[in-house]
């Protein structure tokens, strides 16, 4: 069993969003060793179809299994909303998603809940369903925010345009006088400085990243596979440019990570573009 405890936990996202989950892992489960994968060659996920998300996530899980992980955390709401339930039936390894932990936390805090998310997550209705299953008297408004992920990945965190877009996305939720806001995409905590200014101070913010890590801790304890040795250094892999990811991540990690490139089944046109850039 000691050998299982020492194995890494796989954590993936389309890009830097999963770092908000990684940071919670460092805070709450510092003894766990992590394998991080960002599918940067194929982001954003939030405008993809369910069939595409399923294909991408299967590829990531299959690769992570070859890396001998003991658990996989979908640090991506879009994957959690569109693929988790289906893939939990296909794989033996513990697979965790963000929606239920986030929904349960929100229900404890409020009655008028706003969710900002990628268009795919908002359209899936996953948060509304999960919240109303716990408490049918809660009202839920979900807003798809197509521009946020690319603005974050392009490091436009402080641009006036990003502030303006945030104001527009939050407006319908402000009009509904929400008392609680869920970050329905792991990238969004990177814009917290903007949301705090726009939202009335009474509005509580739920970051499901915090709660998925608590769920992971419970699961590790239940299965008897929580590590009790010092963690190994996090291993970072991306499917796109390792240099870009390393530079962008630095502001959240506090150091420049060593990032390796791992290509999955990237569509032909993306491979061709990359080859042109490399030449
Ligand atoms: N950060 C992911 C999520 O939580 C994916 C965002 C995207 O690539 O569109 O939904």
């Amino acid at each position: 069993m000691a050998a299982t405890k020492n194995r890494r936990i796989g954590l993936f996202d389309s890009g830097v969003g999963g770092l908000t989950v990684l940071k919670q892992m460092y805070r709450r489960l510092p003894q766990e060793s992590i394998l991080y994968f960002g599918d940067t060659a194929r982001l954003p996920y939030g405008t993809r179809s369910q069939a595409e998300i399923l294909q991408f996530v299967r590829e990531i899980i299959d690769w992570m299994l070859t890396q001998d992980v003991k658990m996989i955390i979908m640090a991506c709401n879009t994957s959690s909303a569109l693929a988790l339930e289906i893939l939990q039936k296909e794989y033996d390894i513990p697979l965790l998603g963000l929606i239920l932990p986030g929904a349960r936390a929100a229900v404890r805090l409020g009655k008028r809940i706003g969710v900002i998310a990628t268009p795919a997550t908002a359209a899936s209705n996953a948060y509304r369903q999960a919240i109303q299953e716990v408490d049918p008297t809660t009202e839920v408004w979900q807003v798809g925010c197509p521009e946020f992920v690319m603005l974050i990945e392009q490091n436009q965190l402080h641009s006036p345009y990003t502030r303006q877009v945030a104001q527009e996305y939050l407006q319908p939720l402000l009009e509904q006088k929400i008392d609680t806001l869920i970050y329905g995409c792991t990238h969004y905590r990177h814009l917290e400085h903007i949301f705090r200014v726009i939202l009335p101070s009474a509005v509580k913010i739920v970051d499901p990243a915090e709660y998925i890590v608590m769920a992971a801790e419970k699961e590790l304890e239940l299965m008897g596979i929580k590590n009790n040795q010092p963690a190994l250094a996090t291993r970072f892999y991306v499917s796109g440019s390792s240099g870009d990811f390393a530079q962008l991540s630095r502001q959240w990690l506090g150091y420049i990570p060593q990032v390796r490139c791992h290509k999955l089944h990237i569509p032909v046109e993306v491979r061709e573009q990359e080859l042109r850039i490399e030449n």
Side-chain angles (χ1 to χ4, degrees):
M1 204 35 115
T4 302
K5 288 183 181 175
N6 288 340
R7 283 154 62 195
R8 288 176 190 268
I9 295 178
L11 204 151
F12 74 86
D13 179 44
S14 60
V16 294
L19 296 178
T20 60
V21 179
L22 181 65
K23 287 187 81 171
Q24 296 300 327
M25 291 293 291
Y26 287 162
R27 217 168 56 93
R28 200 174 171 96
L29 294 172
Q31 74 286 5
E32 297 297 337
S33 308
I34 311 290
L35 166 67
Y36 187 99
F37 181 73
D39 197 1
T40 53
R42 301 190 286 199
L43 66 79
Y45 273 17
T47 46
R48 301 269 185 182
S49 68
Q50 185 178 31
E52 285 175 304
I53 298 295
L54 276 168
Q55 182 206 322
F56 297 172
V57 176
R58 281 193 186 106
E59 288 170 10
I60 295 169
I61 295 174
D62 289 343
W63 171 70
M64 285 191 160
L65 291 175
T66 70
Q67 303 298 302
D68 203 28
V69 296
K70 63 179 178 183
M71 165 185 278
I72 296 177
I73 296 181
M74 297 189 177
C76 168
N77 286 269
T78 310
S79 308
S80 307
L82 276 67
L84 179 69
E85 269 183 42
I86 295 173
L87 299 183
Q88 275 175 332
K89 295 189 190 113
E90 289 180 18
Y91 291 92
D92 277 339
I93 188 158
L95 278 182
L96 274 68
L98 290 145
I99 310 293
L100 262 186
R104 289 196 181 124
V107 167
R108 287 196 294 271
L109 291 174
K111 277 280 173 209
R112 301 178 67 77
I113 300 176
V115 183
I116 47 173
T118 64
T121 301
S124 78
N125 238 344
Y127 270 107
R128 173 174 291 130
Q129 276 167 13
I131 290 168
Q132 293 185 335
E133 238 165 65
V134 184
D135 181 354
T137 67
T138 306
E139 287 189 272
V140 183
W141 294 271
Q142 304 167 110
V143 178
C145 309
E147 291 204 61
F148 277 156
V149 167
M150 290 319 283
L151 288 169
I152 294 163
E153 292 284 341
Q154 289 158 1
N155 209 10
Q156 299 292 309
L157 306 179
H158 299 278
S159 83
Y161 179 72
T162 306
R163 271 206 299 280
Q164 182 195 323
V165 167
Q167 183 73 52
E168 283 165 25
Y169 290 151
L170 289 178
Q171 195 54 39
L173 300 177
L174 293 170
E175 281 164 19
Q176 293 300 336
K177 303 213 181 320
I178 57 163
D179 55 27
T180 307
L181 177 78
I182 301 181
Y183 292 153
C185 169
T186 49
H187 278 77
Y188 297 173
R189 193 174 184 147
H190 296 321
L191 295 179
E192 181 137 85
H193 54 286
I194 296 181
F195 300 136
R196 290 277 181 205
V197 174
I198 298 175
L199 292 168
S201 55
V203 174
K204 287 157 274 193
I205 293 179
V206 172
D207 182 358
E210 291 174 25
Y211 301 95
I212 194 176
V213 171
M214 290 184 201
E217 183 173 25
K218 258 195 208 156
E219 185 81 10
L220 291 168
E221 279 167 358
L222 260 174
M223 298 184 69
I225 55 171
K226 193 172 169 187
N227 195 23
N228 41 24
Q229 305 289 316
L232 305 169
T234 303
R235 244 187 230 158
F236 292 93
Y237 284 89
V238 293
S239 54
S241 158
S242 52
D244 287 355
F245 184 88
Q247 282 305 327
L248 184 63
S249 305
R250 178 191 191 173
Q251 60 196 307
W252 298 299
L253 293 172
Y255 62 92
I256 301 185
Q258 202 201 347
V259 185
R260 300 185 183 106
C261 188
H262 176 70
K263 302 267 179 232
L264 295 167
H265 300 118
I266 310 295
V268 179
E269 54 301 355
V270 177
R271 275 196 201 277
E272 280 173 354
Q273 270 171 24
E274 280 177 10
L275 287 175
R276 274 203 296 279
I277 292 165
E278 277 164 18
N279 286 337

